[in-house]
Amino acid sequence: MATRLATAIALLLAATGVARSETLREALKARGLRPPAGAVPGLDQTVQPLQMLDDDLGLLVVYTVGGREAARLHATRFERASRSWKTAPLGWSKSALPMEFCLGGLAVERFAAGFLAMAHINPSAECTIVLGDDLSVRAVLAGWPVVKLADGRIVYQRNQVHFAPVHPVALALLDPHGPAEVTLYPRKPYQPVRTAHIARMRAAYTEAWCNVHNHPCDPDVFDENVHGAIVADARGDALAFVMAW
């Protein structure tokens, strides 16, 4: 998680450098962009946070309009080839992460099926908003991407509860065009190496130790971390990673 935090800080430092005191109009004007009247909400507000993806294809900014309970996320996109603007409010169902969890320190990047807007929640949790090319919200993930496949699918690590007694790892695969995500790790039935480790954990726990340490002592759930990079083959048919227990 320290690596994720360092990466998040690097993303923020390497982002556009927009000052928090700027209005959206000023930030766009500094890039030689003047959207048509009425095309972009919140132009003359000081919008926070304000993060941009600005590359050869165009510009995408994800920002908050309004404050406190009235705060709402918006996305505005400018395509250089067509010189066109598109803006959309970002909303989603209550079953996903609440919007207030997804407002802080947004970093924006492209992937094969659209855009990812990532917000820091705490040292072991992030919110990732998956946007299509049309700026529609395809998914809101309680976690962060670890592999972006060429066909638009995303492998992501689900958030860990940093104040819990144990910190298990969970990896999932999201297809932005599919009906549901798929759990990649841990998969049931467990492989022999995990089954053997669970047996060792079960033998190590005692009722007295668990009571003294206020520990759930569930042998199926234990501390884990991803050791090194998660890699996929060119077609996205295979995934390889090392897990440390």
Side-chain angles (χ1 to χ4, degrees):
M1 183 49 62
T3 301
R4 285 297 305 170
L5 183 57
T7 301
I9 294 172
L11 282 170
L12 291 174
L13 293 176
T16 60
V18 177
R20 289 186 177 274
S21 61
E22 280 185 308
T23 65
L24 181 55
R25 185 188 301 276
E26 291 168 338
L28 295 176
K29 184 178 179 180
R31 288 160 175 76
L33 299 175
R34 292 175 174 80
V40 179
L43 268 179
D44 294 310
Q45 296 185 38
T46 301
V47 288
Q48 298 181 7
L50 177 57
Q51 296 292 338
M52 290 184 179
L53 168 69
D54 191 358
D55 58 21
D56 292 341
L57 297 177
L59 176 144
L60 176 68
V61 55
V62 178
Y63 60 100
T64 304
V65 174
R68 297 186 179 181
E69 293 81 6
R72 291 294 180 270
L73 278 171
H74 287 70
T76 289
R77 182 183 182 189
F78 172 72
E79 294 184 12
R80 300 194 190 281
S82 63
R83 308 294 297 176
S84 63
W85 291 84
K86 181 176 179 58
T87 297
L90 305 184
W92 52 84
S93 70
K94 294 181 179 179
S95 61
L97 281 173
M99 183 171 291
E100 57 265 28
F101 283 24
C102 304
L103 301 178
L106 286 163
V108 186
E109 60 185 47
R110 292 184 186 271
F111 78 115
F115 304 93
L116 301 174
M118 295 160 287
H120 177 74
I121 300 175
N122 62 46
S124 56
E126 292 186 16
C127 166
T128 300
I129 306 170
V130 183
L131 301 176
D133 281 328
D134 60 355
L135 302 186
S136 62
V137 177
R138 300 295 177 85
V140 177
L141 308 178
W144 55 89
V146 291
V147 178
K148 295 176 287 185
L149 301 177
D151 62 3
R153 291 177 297 163
I154 303 165
V155 179
Y156 79 98
Q157 183 171 341
R158 291 175 175 151
N159 289 336
Q160 295 174 290
V161 182
H162 67 285
F163 51 80
V166 292
H167 306 88
V169 169
L171 301 175
L173 177 72
L174 173 79
D175 183 348
H177 304 292
E181 63 183 48
V182 177
T183 298
L184 297 178
Y185 176 89
R187 295 291 296 272
K188 293 183 177 181
Y190 296 143
Q191 293 181 326
V193 64
R194 187 178 184 91
T195 301
H197 183 73
I198 290 172
R200 288 193 295 270
M201 298 296 291
R202 184 178 291 110
Y205 288 143
T206 66
E207 183 177 355
W209 186 91
C210 296
N211 289 337
V212 168
H213 293 85
N214 192 28
H215 197 286
C217 287
D218 180 353
D220 285 55
V221 182
F222 38 84
D223 282 331
E224 303 173 274
N225 63 81
V226 180
H227 187 72
I230 298 176
V231 297
D233 68 346
R235 295 192 305 174
D237 294 330
L239 196 70
F241 55 92
V242 175
M243 195 69 65
W245 296 338

